[in-house]
């Protein structure tokens, strides 16, 4: 009897073993006399199995797997002995659990415990009747498979820990650990940690988190931000652990208490540091300190200002040093960051900002604003007047004693009319007139030396003061009346018509002596202008706008000469600064002038003949009558009333022929010199629906292959000569005749294309003309009927094949023969004529020769 089980590792509990005692009682009921044999047989039948998928087999090395905790008296295997062996012997790590019957039945009499021994190494031997070993010992391995029979247990009932405020979220600051005696390679020993209580729990927010596999406790992002030892110096957590990976309702669990103290964060930015510039002390010099909350951090500095060289360093105790002397005038402050990282280079917290201010010392002398500072002062300026402000510079720190400057005049050249004509305010640098008013004629320029000093240094600077003339003289015209000037009204714009001259005795080439002319009377329309020569102050009167005899015939012009610099108090312009002349404008016969250069109108193309489409107007400057006429009226569509300028249609208009009709209108004086001028008249024709739709091109090559195997389709294009709207045209299609509708159908494809399709395949070979009605959908709608030729023919390689026949323009065979015979006939006639002429020429030569012979005397 063979009972088949797994191939290599046999699992006892899957065989539903029967308790040895129960089986024995059942068998005893059947056969009391053979109780012992039946018990053994029952063991064999209920649980015996081997690696060869049998309950029994020969003695050889074997491995068995048995779940721990199984009931005792479970059969493992029935070994068979080979003669002369008569019994079996079991040795090894039996632990009093494993036994073997003389007939080779191996079983265990107690429940196995994997945590006591996971693997039992046994040896089985066969013995003969004399107790001598026949086979063996053969190794038999019993592997005890784990069941979840142990609950996880924390190593400590209470844990104590501490964390710094603002610690990096996710970085563990303590661990809790639990153990489980079950096999860690199975779910029985896989433990999952979880925080189930946090006290206090503010706003229902968890400040702590735990790695569910390692038991590592760290801060959440909220905990990193919110933990404050002043508000809550401690927290209590309850942490649970479950086996079976926490996924089974029958898993075991344990819990522990975790008390966490919150410590003040010592990873804080230090106070700003001040360093005296240009220090001569040995470098590097320690300036401040940072420290991470725990030892072992790796420190570094980060420069966010992208300096070529950062003159600072940090050691691995967090000490920050300046590595070289600093110069405040080169850079007065530094901002950089201290970073703390763990052993793998991961930042432990946010960087700390380090601020360093370079403290000034007085190591820079004052400087002058320029090599020479130039001021100007008007003559006759009052004593105490400000001439200018002299500002020195000091590169030392502003608003400190190192940069406070003191000013003093130490020299004046020349010392005329006396020394001490100027003074300078001690701290502001304001230069003032101190002694008396100045005269340009006496001394036009002074040179001052000003001493600029701070508490340690002095610098000499140079100031140049120029005395400038004041505007105390007015311009005076050389004459007050420039007489009369007569000009034709068509004198060109830009023409210079008069030169005027005024003089000013103030200092030349200054604002006090420069003269500007302006017309103050007689030119209200601004037809004239005056330009000034910057070197001579001469004024040139020019025409800026066209003169007009009909508007103003006589201009009484008054102009005035002025300086751009204001006059000094008490001096005013008078009649000496003004002059006049009379401008007389003479009449010139001018052409009529249209009110506009281009006239534009719009009209529907279907207006009745004689409709007024526009009006033009022109005016003659001499008020002569005007006659209007049209030019370039190429289509003869328009006419104009010669008196009123009204324009009318004289023929039907057609937008499709010309959508924008352009003509020229001529206005001519009636009488006088008959001068004329021209304007343009543009008439835009608005479309009306007056053209029926048609085929876009001639279709002569449409064909379908005969015979049809399926319904055929042809695409054709339709157009309309009318103007389309912004959207596509909306043509509709229908077949004209009833017979056509039986054979064909037509449908719209898009705005300009339609599709003609057959309704069956029973067409004969030949040409079909399909009449189609097309409606343009216009207002009013117009229809057109087109005939679309379609040929049904035999196809070769997708092309219509037709027998060769006479084609237009190609001669027939008879015509070709006639042409050939005619050609030969013409050639024969030409040859005959040539031959006859040659013969005649030869005969003539013979006669002439004979006559010549007769005329000559005979000679011996």
């Amino acid at each position: 009897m063979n009972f088949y089980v797994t191939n290599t590792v046999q699992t006892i509990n899957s065989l539903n073993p029967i308790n040895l005692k129960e089986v024995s009682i059942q068998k005893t009921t059947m056969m009391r006399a053979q109780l012992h044999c039946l018990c053994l047989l029952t063991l064999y039948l209920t649980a015996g199995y081997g690696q060869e998928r049998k309950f029994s087999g020969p003695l050889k090395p074997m491995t068995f797997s048995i779940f721990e905790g199984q009931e005792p008296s479970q059969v493992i295997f029935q070994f068979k002995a080979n003669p002369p062996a008569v019994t079996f012997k079991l040795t090894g790590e039996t632990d009093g659990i494993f036994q073997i019957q003389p007939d080779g039945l191996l079983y265990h009499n107690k429940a196995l415990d994997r945590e006591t021994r996971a693997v039992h190494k046994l040896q089985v031997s066969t013995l003969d009747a004399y107790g001598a070993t026949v086979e063996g010992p053969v190794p038999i391995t019993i592997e005890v498979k784990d069941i979840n029979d142990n609950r996880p247990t924390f190593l400590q009932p209470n844990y104590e820990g501490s964390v710094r405020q603002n610690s990096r979220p996710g970085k563990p600051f303590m661990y809790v650990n639990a153990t489980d005696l079950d096999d860690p390679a199975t779910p029985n020993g896989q433990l999952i940690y979880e925080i189930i209580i946090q006290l206090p729990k503010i706003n229902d927010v968890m400040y702590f988190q735990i790695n569910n596999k390692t038991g590592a406790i760290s801060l959440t992002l909220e905990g990193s931000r919110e933990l404050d030892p002043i508000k809550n110096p401690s927290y209590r957590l309850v942490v649970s652990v479950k086996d079976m990976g926490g996924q089974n309702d029958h898993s075991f669990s344990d819990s522990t208490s975790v008390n966490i103290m919150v410590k003040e964060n010592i990873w804080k930015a230090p106070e700003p540091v001040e360093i005296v510039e240009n220090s001569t002390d040995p470098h590097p010099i320690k300036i401040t300190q940072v420290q991470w909350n725990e030892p072992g951090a790796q420190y570094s500095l980060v420069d966010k200002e992208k300096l070529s060289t950062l003159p600072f360093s940090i050691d691995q105790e967090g000490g920050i040093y300046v590595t070289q002397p600093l110069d405040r005038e080169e850079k007065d402050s530094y901002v950089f960051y201290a970073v703390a990282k763990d052993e793998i280079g991961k930042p432990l917290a946010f960087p700390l900002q380090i601020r360093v201010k370079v403290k000034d010392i007085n190591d820079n002398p004052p400087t002058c604003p320029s090599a020479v500072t130039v001021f100007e002062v008007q003559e006759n300026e009052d004593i105490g007047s400000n001439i200018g402000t002299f500002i020195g510079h000091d590169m030392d720190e502003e608003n400190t004693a190192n940069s406070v400057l003191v000013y003093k005049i130490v020299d004046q050249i020349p010392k005329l009319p006396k020394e001490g004509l100027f003074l300078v305010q001690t701290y502001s640098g304001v230069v003032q007139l101190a002694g008396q008013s100045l005269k340009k004629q006496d001394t036009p320029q002074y040179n001052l030396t000003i001493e600029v000093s701070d508490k340690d240094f002095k610098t000499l600077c140079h100031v140049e003061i120029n005395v400038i003339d004041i505007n105390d003289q007015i311009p005076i015209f050389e004459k007050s009346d420039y007489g009369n000037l007569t000009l034709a009204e068509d004198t060109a714009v830009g023409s210079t018509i008069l030169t005027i001259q005024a003089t000013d005795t103030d200092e030349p080439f200054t604002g006090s002596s420069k003269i500007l002319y302006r017309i103050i009377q007689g030119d209200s329309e601004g037809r004239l202008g005056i330009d000034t020569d910057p070197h001579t102050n001469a004024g040139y009167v020019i025409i800026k706008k066209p003169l007009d005899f009909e508007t103003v015939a006589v201009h009484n012009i008054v102009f005035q000469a002025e300086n751009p610099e204001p006059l000094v108090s008490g001096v005013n312009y008078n009649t000496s600064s003004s002059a006049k002349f009379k401008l007389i404008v003479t009449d010139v016969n001018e052409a009529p002038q249209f009110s506009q250069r281009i006239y534009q109108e719009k009209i529907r193309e279907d207006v009745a003949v004689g409709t007024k489409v526009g009006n033009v107007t022109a005016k003659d400057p001499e008020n002569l009558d005007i006659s209007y006429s049209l030019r370039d009226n190429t289509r003869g569509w328009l006419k104009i009333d010669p008196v009123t300028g009204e324009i009318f249609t004289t023929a039907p208009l057609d937008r499709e022929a010309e959508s924008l009709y352009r003509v020229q209108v001529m206005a001519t004086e009636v009488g006088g010199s008959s001068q004329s001028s021209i304007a343009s008249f543009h008439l835009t024709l608005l479309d009306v629906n007056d053209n029926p739709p048609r085929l876009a091109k001639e279709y002569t090559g449409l064909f379908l292959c005969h015979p049809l195997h399926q319904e055929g389709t042809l695409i054709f294009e339709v157009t309309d000569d009318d103007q389309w709207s912004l959207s596509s045209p909306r043509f509709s299609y229908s077949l004209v005749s009833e017979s056509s509708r039986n054979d064909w159908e037509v449908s719209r494809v898009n705005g300009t294309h339609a599709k003609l399709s057959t309704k069956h395949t029973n067409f004969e070979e030949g040409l079909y003309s399909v009449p189609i009605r097309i409606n343009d959908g216009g207002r009013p709608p117009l229809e057109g009927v087109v005939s679309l030729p379609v040929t049904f023919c035999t196809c070769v390689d997708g092309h219509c094949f037709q027998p060769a026949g006479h084609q237009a323009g190609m001669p027939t065979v008879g015509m070709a023969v006639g042409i050939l015979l005619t050609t030969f006939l013409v050639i024969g006639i030409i040859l005959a004529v040539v031959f006859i002429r040659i013969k005649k020429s030869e005969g003539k030569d013979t006669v002439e020769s004979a006559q010549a012979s007769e005329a000559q005397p005979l000679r011996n």
Side-chain angles (χ1 to χ4, degrees):
M1 180 184 303
N2 294 328
F3 295 88
Y4 291 94
V5 292
T6 56
N7 186 27
T8 57
V9 179
Q10 313 302 326
T11 304
I12 296 301
N13 65 333
S14 64
L15 301 176
N16 296 320
I18 303 173
N19 184 275
L20 177 62
K21 183 178 180 180
E22 294 177 356
V23 174
S24 298
I25 293 173
Q26 294 175 10
K27 296 299 181 180
T28 300
T29 304
M30 297 172 60
M31 300 180 68
R32 294 176 179 268
Q34 301 177 358
L35 176 60
H36 178 68
C37 293
L38 287 177
C39 288
L40 295 178
L41 179 61
T42 303
L43 287 172
Y44 176 81
L45 291 176
T46 56
Y49 61 100
Q51 282 184 315
E52 298 178 349
R53 298 177 179 268
K54 299 178 181 180
F55 287 102
S56 62
L59 179 63
K60 63 179 180 179
M62 298 185 73
T63 298
F64 300 92
S65 293
I66 304 173
F67 278 107
E68 66 174 331
Q70 295 288 343
E71 295 181 358
S73 302
Q74 299 292 331
V75 174
I76 299 174
F77 195 75
Q78 173 71 65
F79 292 104
K80 295 181 179 180
N82 296 319
V86 295
T87 186
F88 288 84
K89 178 183 178 182
L90 178 65
T91 59
E93 300 171 343
T94 61
D95 295 343
I97 299 174
F98 299 96
Q99 294 181 350
I100 190 166
Q101 295 289 341
D103 61 357
L105 185 67
L106 178 66
Y107 65 97
H108 62 87
N109 55 24
K110 295 181 182 179
L112 303 181
D113 184 8
R114 190 200 67 83
E115 288 72 36
T116 301
R117 190 188 295 273
V119 178
H120 293 263
K121 300 291 186 179
L122 308 178
Q123 294 85 36
V124 177
S125 304
T126 60
L127 307 177
D128 59 15
Y130 303 101
T133 301
V134 178
E135 290 184 82
V138 174
I140 304 297
T141 302
I142 306 296
E143 295 177 346
V144 184
K145 297 190 66 175
D146 187 50
I147 64 173
N148 190 25
D149 57 348
N150 293 279
R151 63 173 293 184
T153 305
F154 278 102
L155 300 182
Q156 299 175 211
N158 293 287
Y159 286 83
E160 302 288 336
S162 64
V163 64
R164 296 278 183 183
Q165 67 178 134
N166 304 126
S167 292
R168 182 163 58 88
K171 178 175 176 55
F173 61 86
M174 67 177 298
Y175 289 81
V176 295
N177 297 101
T179 60
D180 192 315
L181 296 178
D182 291 319
D183 188 357
T186 67
N188 303 329
Q190 293 178 0
L191 306 183
I192 296 297
Y193 298 92
E194 179 184 9
I195 297 175
I196 57 177
I197 296 176
Q198 171 189 297
L199 297 175
K201 190 175 184 181
I202 302 169
N203 297 325
D204 200 33
V205 175
M206 292 295 293
Y207 289 166
F208 301 90
Q209 59 188 348
I210 190 168
N211 186 307
N212 63 358
K213 291 183 172 59
T214 66
I217 298 176
S218 61
L219 294 182
T220 63
L221 182 60
E222 293 79 6
S224 176
R225 293 173 178 171
E226 302 297 334
L227 280 187
D228 187 344
I230 297 177
K231 295 180 180 178
N232 291 292
S234 64
Y235 288 82
R236 179 173 176 266
L237 307 180
V238 175
V239 178
S240 74
V241 62
K242 291 183 178 181
D243 59 14
M244 301 297 289
Q247 303 297 318
N248 195 311
D249 292 338
H250 302 291
S251 61
F252 295 114
S253 66
D254 191 17
S255 62
T256 187
S257 176
V258 180
N259 296 315
I260 300 173
M261 298 296 296
V262 181
K263 296 182 179 181
E264 182 182 4
N265 180 25
I266 60 175
W267 180 248
K268 294 181 180 180
E271 295 295 324
V273 180
E274 284 193 355
I275 302 176
V276 176
E277 66 172 331
N278 298 320
S279 172
T280 57
D281 295 336
H283 287 75
I285 300 172
K286 185 173 182 179
I287 58 174
T288 189
Q289 174 79 38
V290 296
Q291 183 179 350
W292 177 241
N293 296 314
E294 300 168 1
Q298 299 178 2
Y299 301 99
S300 61
L301 298 182
V302 176
D303 173 26
K304 293 295 184 67
E305 297 179 301
K306 307 300 182 184
L307 301 177
S308 57
T309 301
L310 182 67
F312 301 94
S313 65
I314 188 170
D315 61 24
Q316 289 312 302
E317 282 71 41
I320 298 177
Y321 299 80
V322 59
T323 58
Q324 65 187 44
L326 305 180
D327 186 356
R328 193 204 68 84
E329 287 70 42
E330 180 181 328
K331 186 171 177 61
D332 62 357
S333 65
Y334 295 83
V335 177
F336 53 94
Y337 293 85
V339 179
K341 297 181 179 179
D342 60 17
E343 62 279 357
I344 62 173
K346 190 172 183 180
L348 294 168
F350 301 106
L352 300 182
Q353 187 180 74
I354 311 298
R355 291 184 173 271
V356 176
K357 178 182 179 183
V358 184
K359 191 174 181 180
D360 186 47
I361 63 173
N362 191 24
D363 58 347
N364 291 280
T367 59
C368 305
S370 60
V372 178
T373 301
V374 179
F375 293 133
E376 291 184 345
V377 58
Q378 288 186 343
E379 60 181 350
N380 297 330
E381 196 73 58
D382 294 335
I383 295 175
S385 298
N386 291 346
I387 298 174
T389 301
F390 182 82
I391 301 177
H393 299 287
D394 194 312
M395 294 182 65
D396 292 315
E397 186 174 2
E398 294 182 2
N399 302 319
T400 66
N402 299 330
S403 61
V404 174
L405 302 181
V406 176
Y407 302 93
K408 182 174 68 172
I409 296 175
V410 296
D411 193 16
Q412 168 192 314
I413 299 174
K415 297 177 174 60
L416 297 174
K418 65 177 183 178
E419 194 172 2
L421 292 176
F422 307 93
L423 64 83
V424 60
Q425 297 290 339
T426 303
Y427 292 103
S428 66
V430 174
V431 179
Q432 295 176 296
L433 187 62
Q436 64 182 50
S437 298
L438 306 178
K439 288 291 184 180
K440 181 179 177 63
Q441 292 81 358
D442 298 337
T443 305
Q445 186 181 88
Y446 292 89
N447 292 290
L448 305 180
T449 300
I450 297 180
E451 179 188 88
V452 186
S453 61
D454 59 19
K455 67 177 184 177
D456 297 313
F457 299 96
K458 295 180 180 180
T459 303
L460 297 179
C461 300
H462 301 283
V463 176
E464 179 183 293
I465 299 178
N466 295 316
V467 182
I468 61 174
D469 185 38
I470 61 174
N471 192 15
D472 55 356
Q473 301 294 322
I474 64 172
I476 299 176
F477 274 100
E478 61 180 3
K479 56 183 177 180
S480 61
D481 191 344
Y482 283 86
N484 298 337
L485 181 62
T486 301
L487 295 175
E489 64 176 330
D490 62 351
T491 302
V493 172
S495 300
T496 300
I497 61 174
L498 180 64
T499 301
I500 58 178
Q501 183 71 60
T503 58
D504 192 310
T505 58
D506 287 314
E507 183 180 359
F509 306 111
T510 65
S512 300
S513 62
K514 183 179 180 180
I515 298 176
L516 301 177
Y517 300 94
R518 66 186 182 93
I519 297 173
I520 61 175
Q521 185 178 321
D523 186 24
S524 59
E525 296 185 358
R527 298 181 184 274
L528 303 179
I530 305 176
D531 293 337
T532 302
D533 187 319
H535 302 288
T536 65
N537 274 339
Y540 303 103
V541 182
I542 61 173
I543 297 177
K544 292 173 59 179
K545 295 180 181 179
L547 304 177
D548 188 2
F549 170 81
E550 287 74 22
T551 303
V552 180
V554 178
H555 298 265
N556 292 305
I557 304 297
V558 178
F559 37 80
Q560 181 166 304
E562 300 174 345
N563 302 126
E565 187 73 26
L567 295 172
V568 299
S569 178
V571 179
N572 298 301
Y573 296 108
N574 56 35
T575 56
S576 299
S577 299
S578 62
K580 64 180 180 178
F581 80 97
K582 179 182 288 187
L583 176 60
I584 301 171
V585 181
T586 60
D587 187 32
V588 175
N589 188 17
E590 300 171 274
Q593 298 176 354
F594 281 96
S595 59
Q596 58 193 71
R597 189 172 64 87
I598 299 176
Y599 295 84
Q600 299 185 23
E601 297 291 344
K602 295 180 180 180
I603 197 72
R604 285 168 56 93
E605 64 173 328
D606 61 346
V607 297
V609 174
T611 300
K612 178 181 175 181
V613 295
N615 189 77
V616 299
T617 57
K619 183 179 179 182
D620 185 72
E622 290 76 36
N623 291 322
L624 297 177
D625 291 337
I626 294 174
S627 176
Y628 300 97
S629 61
L630 295 181
R631 297 175 60 182
D632 296 335
N633 187 17
T634 55
R635 295 186 180 273
W637 284 354
L638 304 177
K639 68 176 181 178
I640 190 169
D641 188 306
V643 177
T644 64
E646 295 175 308
I647 300 176
F648 302 89
T649 62
T650 59
L653 307 179
D654 186 1
R655 189 203 65 82
E656 287 70 37
E658 193 163 354
S659 60
L660 179 62
Y661 191 56
R662 299 180 179 90
V663 297
Q664 290 187 329
V665 182
M666 178 180 289
T668 306
E669 293 178 344
V670 178
S673 58
S674 299
Q675 293 199 66
S676 61
S677 59
I678 294 176
S680 296
F681 180 78
H682 295 172
L683 181 63
T684 300
L685 302 183
L686 303 178
D687 187 49
V688 296
N689 194 27
D690 57 352
N691 290 278
R694 59 179 176 82
L695 293 176
K697 61 182 179 181
E698 183 179 359
Y699 287 92
T700 58
L702 298 178
F703 71 92
L704 293 172
C705 293
H706 185 275
L708 282 178
H709 299 292
Q710 59 183 8
E711 294 182 357
T713 299
L714 298 169
I715 303 296
F716 60 94
E717 184 179 1
V718 175
T719 189
D720 189 327
D721 293 326
D722 290 315
Q723 184 178 18
W724 293 351
S725 62
L726 294 177
S727 59
S728 301
R730 296 189 175 276
F731 296 120
S732 59
Y733 309 88
S734 61
L735 295 169
V736 175
S737 63
E738 182 65 29
S739 60
S740 296
R741 286 192 288 272
N742 292 333
D743 297 335
W744 306 87
E745 63 180 357
V746 63
S747 59
R748 184 175 183 269
V749 174
N750 55 31
T752 57
H753 291 74
K755 177 174 65 175
L756 179 65
S757 304
T758 62
K759 298 180 73 172
H760 57 80
T761 59
N762 300 322
F763 287 87
E764 295 182 359
E765 195 168 3
L767 177 65
Y768 290 78
S769 182
V770 183
I772 301 173
R773 179 181 291 106
I774 308 173
N775 188 303
D776 63 7
R779 296 181 180 177
L782 292 181
E783 291 183 347
V785 177
V786 299
S787 182
L788 200 65
V790 181
T791 300
F792 285 84
C793 60
T794 302
C795 291
V796 177
D797 295 332
H799 298 283
C800 187
F801 173 77
Q802 293 178 330
H806 173 66
Q807 299 181 12
M810 180 177 289
T812 62
V813 175
M815 292 175 63
V817 172
I819 292 172
L820 186 61
L821 292 176
T822 302
T823 302
F824 287 153
L825 179 61
V826 171
I827 293 173
I829 293 172
I830 293 172
L831 293 175
V833 171
V834 172
F835 180 76
I836 292 172
R837 289 200 171 196
I838 292 173
K839 286 296 184 181
K840 286 183 177 181
S841 177
E842 291 177 350
K844 183 177 180 180
D845 292 341
T846 304
V847 172
E848 290 178 352
S849 177
Q851 292 176 349
S853 300
E854 292 176 355
Q856 292 178 359
L858 295 174
R859 294 181 181 179
N860 292 328

